[in-house]
Amino acid sequence: MTLGISIVKPVNQIQLSPGSVVTIPNVNWQEFEAILQEMGEKRSSRIAYSNGWLEIMVPLPEHEKPKELISDMVKILLRKLGRKYEPFGSTTFKKENVAGVEPDACFYIQNYQKMINRRRLQPDDPPPDLAIESDVTSKTTLDAYEAIAVPELWVYANSKLTIYLLTNGQYIASETSPDFPSIPLTQIIPQIVERSWQVGTVEALTEFERIIA
């Protein structure tokens, strides 16, 4: 008689190479919270959880440059418009028993004042006003953002920027951002990201500032 033995390996012991995506089905909320705690805060991976599906993603090195560059461009735009903001990086945002997600970068703009003194998120805190994702297009990730109700999501993938606006609980692609309506970001941002590979980040950001001046 042959016995089947199930071996469970702790998530924090799973070695994932850059560019890897692991999808785990049938994860309940308590398991999701336990996995987050097990993985800890100091890690290179990002998570997305929605409808019982958990994705663990390890970004490629070339993922980091567009993420940082787009985040810097958002800061330049906000300063140009005299808008105040609070950046919250890759904070884990959750809607209990429903969804969880970690942006590449995110900003509180309309709600910045409420978040000035936040060292830890509180249960009644709003979601970020703008989130940024680089090279992530999975349904689990988009579903998580929808569930958490992030009003505006930028996804940069395959040298293209897509702006998603939350409308009646669902994301609709838009050519413009409500925060920067007069600037053709879906054209300019991919151009500047590509330029950064050619002339470097500082020069690319300088060119961006000249374009929007």
Side-chain angles (χ1 to χ4, degrees):
M1 180 178 178
T2 302
L3 295 176
I5 301 175
S6 176
I7 300 175
V8 179
K9 189 173 186 179
V11 171
N12 62 4
Q13 292 183 19
I14 298 175
Q15 299 297 315
L16 298 176
S17 59
S20 298
V21 179
V22 172
T23 303
I24 307 172
N26 303 316
V27 177
N28 64 37
W29 186 256
Q30 290 71 28
E31 291 169 334
F32 169 62
E33 291 276 28
I35 289 170
L36 273 182
Q37 186 172 3
E38 183 184 317
M39 293 174 70
E41 295 182 359
K42 295 182 179 180
R43 52 185 165 83
S44 60
S45 59
R46 295 281 180 268
I47 60 92
Y49 174 81
S50 180
N51 298 316
W53 287 85
L54 173 64
E55 283 188 354
I56 303 172
M57 299 149 282
V58 180
L60 288 164
E62 57 260 40
H63 163 107
E64 300 299 314
K65 188 168 184 174
K67 162 188 102 170
E68 295 294 337
L69 198 65
I70 295 170
S71 181
D72 286 343
M73 284 189 271
V74 170
K75 294 173 186 176
I76 289 170
L77 286 166
L78 290 169
R79 286 197 296 268
K80 179 178 184 292
L81 295 173
R83 304 281 301 277
K84 295 181 180 180
Y85 64 91
E86 287 296 317
F88 266 63
S90 296
T91 299
T92 305
F93 294 91
K94 305 174 192 173
K95 182 175 182 181
E96 191 170 359
N97 296 315
V98 179
V101 73
E102 295 170 340
D104 284 326
C106 67
F107 296 87
Y108 283 91
I109 304 169
Q110 286 81 10
N111 291 306
Y112 84 91
Q113 195 158 19
K114 182 174 183 178
M115 307 305 293
I116 288 174
N117 65 351
R118 286 290 188 271
R119 298 177 187 269
R120 296 271 179 179
L121 291 179
Q122 303 299 317
D124 62 340
D125 283 337
D129 298 298
L130 171 63
I132 297 167
E133 286 281 359
S134 178
D135 289 332
V136 173
T137 57
S138 77
K139 187 175 187 303
T140 299
T141 301
L142 292 178
D143 285 350
Y145 277 110
E146 282 184 346
I148 293 167
V150 175
E152 185 172 354
L153 172 64
W154 295 5
V155 176
Y156 182 81
N158 301 316
S159 301
K160 178 183 177 182
L161 177 70
T162 304
I163 297 173
Y164 291 103
L165 303 180
L166 194 66
T167 306
N168 298 322
Q170 292 186 322
Y171 280 125
I172 304 296
S174 171
E175 287 299 314
T176 59
S177 165
D179 287 308
F180 319 107
S182 63
I183 302 172
L185 297 173
T186 56
Q187 300 172 33
I188 296 173
I189 286 180
Q191 172 189 332
I192 296 300
V193 172
E194 182 56 34
R195 284 289 290 162
S196 74
W197 295 109
Q198 300 166 5
V199 300
T201 297
V202 173
E203 179 58 33
L205 288 173
T206 300
E207 290 181 12
F208 177 70
E209 291 184 276
R210 284 201 293 263
I211 289 171
I212 65 171

